[in-house]
Amino acid sequence: MGISVIDLTPLEQTALLTVYARALDSRASHSILGDTWAESVAAAIDYDFAGLQVQTSVACQTALRAKMLDDRVRTFTASNPYAVVVDLGGGLDSGVYRVAPPATVDWYTVDLTGISAVRDQVLPTNPQSHTVVASVAESDWATAIPANRPTILVADGLFAFLTEAVIAGLFRSITEHFHSGELAFNDYGRFGALSRAALKYLPQKMFKDVGSQLGFAGFKDARHPLTWNPRLQLVEEASLCHQPEVDLFPGALRVATRLTGLTKAGARKARILRYRF
């Protein structure tokens, strides 16, 4: 019998979808992320993952955006060997094991009570890894994290489930607490009426689970967060559609992804944004 997750809130349960998508990628003959930890985490949990009906496109895109964020963390920690990494809403992510930063780096995963408890059961202890039980919607979420070391904060899939007011408050609190660093996260562009309708009416359970939790319509202009916090500086906007790893996608999905990336609006639908402060 695996670890029970029946007490997780609907928002916390979205972490199950993400870890399963990474597990599916790890099984592929040409894995993008190669996250074997995701496979072992999913195997340790008592949950009907197959019932989520995760599509190949979702598994590929989830793996690629995680790889893009991992690469940026590697670059930052290589240049700042005494850095702090903060994974906002990290859930069951095994990024600290994939990235394997220098031993002098501390990695903090911030998430809610239920999913944090599951995380501590399914992932091995690591002297660099620290779980912070907190809601990023609260003003004191960063209290337990060092403020005076170079810091890179990452968020994978988190902001779609927060309101714009909460995200704006979070972006302000980052520069109020941390002295210097970077913020990198994935963004889906602007969710319009068509996208919301698709999430509502598509038959797969995963779409219904995600759609019911959406709180933020997404950014059209990557510079919009600067209106919330002028201490942030946009330094990168990278579309998943333009990454070389798209060549590892199955044929039809590979072609569709490349075509999507030919327009600015299409390229914004799956991208990594990075800011410096």
Side-chain angles (χ1 to χ4, degrees):
M1 181 66 70
I3 295 168
S4 174
V5 292
I6 59 173
D7 291 332
L8 294 181
T9 66
L11 181 58
E12 289 175 320
Q13 288 179 26
T14 60
L16 302 176
L17 190 160
T18 305
V19 76
Y20 185 57
R22 294 190 186 118
L24 290 176
D25 168 72
S26 74
R27 300 173 190 173
S29 57
H30 299 288
S31 175
I32 297 163
L33 185 62
D35 187 358
T36 55
W37 281 109
E39 181 73 28
S40 63
V41 167
I45 294 173
D46 182 15
Y47 185 77
D48 179 20
F49 287 102
L52 291 170
Q53 301 172 292
V54 174
Q55 297 180 323
T56 300
S57 60
V58 173
C60 289
Q61 291 170 10
T62 300
L64 180 50
R65 77 189 193 208
K67 184 180 186 301
M68 293 173 70
L69 289 171
D70 283 357
D71 288 345
R72 281 141 186 85
V73 173
R74 288 190 187 96
T75 299
F76 188 89
T77 55
S79 299
N80 300 279
Y82 292 92
V84 167
V85 181
V86 181
D87 191 353
L88 298 168
L92 304 175
D93 187 24
S94 55
V96 64
Y97 306 99
R98 296 193 306 266
V99 173
T104 47
V105 168
D106 282 299
W107 192 297
Y108 292 82
T109 300
V110 182
D111 217 323
L112 301 173
T113 303
I115 197 67
S116 294
V118 175
R119 174 186 179 82
D120 288 345
Q121 293 179 78
V122 297
L123 287 169
T125 57
N126 181 318
Q128 294 174 262
S129 181
H130 317 277
T131 300
V132 177
V133 179
S135 167
V136 296
E138 301 298 328
S139 59
D140 61 349
W141 67 268
T143 301
I145 306 175
N148 59 352
R149 293 159 59 183
T151 303
I152 181 167
L153 303 101
V154 295
D156 187 354
L158 172 65
F159 294 145
F161 304 115
L162 305 178
T163 65
E164 182 166 339
V166 169
I167 298 171
L170 173 61
F171 280 28
R172 287 190 290 267
S173 71
I174 285 171
T175 60
E176 289 169 357
H177 181 79
F178 301 101
H179 293 187
S180 65
E182 295 182 355
L183 167 66
F185 58 91
N186 76 298
D187 179 65
Y188 306 97
R190 195 73 179 170
F191 270 97
L194 184 60
S195 297
R196 290 182 178 275
L199 288 173
K200 182 177 181 180
Y201 294 109
L202 284 172
Q204 287 86 353
K205 182 178 184 296
M206 58 156 286
F207 289 120
K208 297 187 183 303
D209 288 353
V210 168
S212 66
Q213 297 301 312
L214 283 180
F216 180 55
F219 301 108
K220 182 177 181 180
D221 185 350
R223 289 174 176 79
H224 184 65
L226 309 186
T227 66
W228 301 334
N229 187 346
R231 284 197 59 195
L232 297 174
Q233 174 190 3
L234 177 66
V235 293
E236 184 182 21
E237 180 178 357
S239 174
L240 271 68
C241 301
H242 301 155
Q243 304 308 304
E245 290 86 357
V246 172
D247 290 341
L248 299 176
F249 287 12
L253 179 60
R254 179 175 66 250
V255 172
T257 302
R258 292 299 190 199
L259 290 174
T260 298
L262 294 178
T263 66
K264 289 183 179 180
R268 282 197 299 264
K269 287 297 181 183
R271 59 183 173 175
I272 297 298
L273 301 179
R274 184 165 58 93
Y275 301 80
R276 187 171 292 136
F277 59 91

